[in-house]
Amino acid sequence: MSGATRSRAVDTAEADGDQQRRYLRRVTWVATLGGLLFGFDTGVINGALPFMVDDLRLTPVTEGLVASSLVFGAAFGALAGGRLADAYGRRRMIIVLAVVFLVGTLGTALAPDVTVMVTARLVLGLAVGGASVMVPIFLAELSPAARRGQTVTRNELMIVTGQLIAFSTSAFLGTVFGDSHGIWRWMLVLATLPAIGLWIGMYFVPESPRWLAAHGAFGFALRALQRLRPPAAARIEYEEVKALALEDREKDKAGIRDLREPWLRRIVVVGLGLAVIQQITGVNSIMYYGTQILVVAGFGTQAALTANIANGVISVAATFVGIWLLGRVGRRPMLLVGQIGTTAALLAIGLVSLLVPEGTARGFLVLALTVTFLAFQQGAISPVTWLMLSEIFPMRLRGLGMGVAVFVLWMVNFAVSLSFPILMDAITISNTFFVFVVLGVAAIVFARRYIPETRGRTLEEIERRFKEDAGSSVR
């Protein structure tokens, strides 16, 4: 049976699986608590940071360290997380991550000084980075091809929901209890609740059938698929997964030497490129420093906290739109439209910051442009990036490949989040955004030239397509 015929047969067999679809939805919502924690822990610093400045005696440099230390830890969490997920299983390692989330959250909430805060944020970053690799891989490997886009991008929805919850709770606590000493500690400690929920919930979900097959547990892989698919679809998909797993088991353990193969080198270039262009838009300058940006634009601190909720609301709404679009249009055009939209919004923010006098009018203009930026970023660029990173790597390199790509993503994120307050102080906010505009133009050029289309194919078909394209280019 050809790949296209097999894919159509699976989709037809899927038509009758209401019970299995409901079970897959439950599994998805449990696993994406990792995304909620990712979003909350990266977003909460936005509202907490202004209240930490006096308590922890922060300077622009230590402010950047507190914000970016989580991101630095996340880079190494992603790198190690991919390898660990390949070795010990997606489900088991997500359970471990839940514990690390809990420990890191308590450490930040109780931190007496900058040193402890940065250390605890590094630990928390390990969990965030691990979740950023393991959860999308886990969801991609559980999902049928026809619904993989919507299933995997629910994790992106949970990330932005976590950020919205962080912005909203921080605004409430900062506005109502802003004069209370150490209110930022209460902002941070709230993340313990989803961490506990993730830890408990993951005991009730199955392991990835593709990981089980890759480790020779074919009977367990079939049983996992039968819980997630109607019987006919489970059997068809199982045969395809088993065939590729047996083929991969005849090869040596995945490693750097695999890059001698042209098709794998192309995948790595695409993966690293996706990681870089998702971050050089400067999205996390807004997600981490949105409150400070609005203060510089002309809002007071408490008004900026409240106004910043708009960034979270637009992010969630845009992600819903992105999930809907992924079922109807290609990944590549979505990415290009998102890159063009974000670059135009950044140019406008820079011009407004340069030309409009400081005050409430400039504040509202900057706010309108940041939500426009986030509509393109969270509605197109971020969903496509996380989805494609979970799709493009072959099974035997999936954890390693995505781990390396997301390591690069987090390191670019780290560079942006560390340098942003320093750049604002040194060259003004408008010139800082002009730097992102130049980077955005480079991202558009890369996406147009190198990013392939993966919509409508199974993970196994995507792998075969990369091999065929490499063979054609060699000939």
Side-chain angles (χ1 to χ4, degrees), residues 104-112 117 120 182 184-186 188-190 192:
T105 298
L106 291 173
T108 59
L110 299 172
M117 173 60 76
W184 55 271
R185 299 183 188 276
W186 291 100
L188 300 179
V189 80
L190 291 173
T192 56

Side-chain angles (χ1 to χ4, degrees), residues 353-434:
S353 300
L354 182 65
L355 301 176
V356 178
E358 183 178 337
T360 304
R362 186 169 82 172
F364 278 108
L365 281 172
V366 169
L367 177 61
L369 290 168
T370 58
V371 298
T372 302
F373 169 90
L374 288 170
F376 283 103
Q377 175 76 32
Q378 309 292 26
I381 297 175
S382 291
V384 170
T385 299
W386 290 109
L387 173 58
M388 290 193 72
L389 286 176
S390 72
E391 292 177 327
I392 61 174
F393 294 103
M395 179 63 224
R396 68 194 183 97
L397 280 171
R398 191 161 292 141
L400 173 63
M402 189 170 178
V404 171
V406 179
F407 170 82
V408 171
L409 183 151
W410 283 112
M411 289 303 290
V412 178
N413 187 336
F414 170 73
V416 170
S417 57
L418 177 63
S419 62
F420 187 78
I422 300 169
L423 284 172
M424 275 209 308
D425 188 54
I427 65 172
T428 74
I429 188 171
S430 56
N431 287 326
T432 300
F433 280 106
F434 291 146

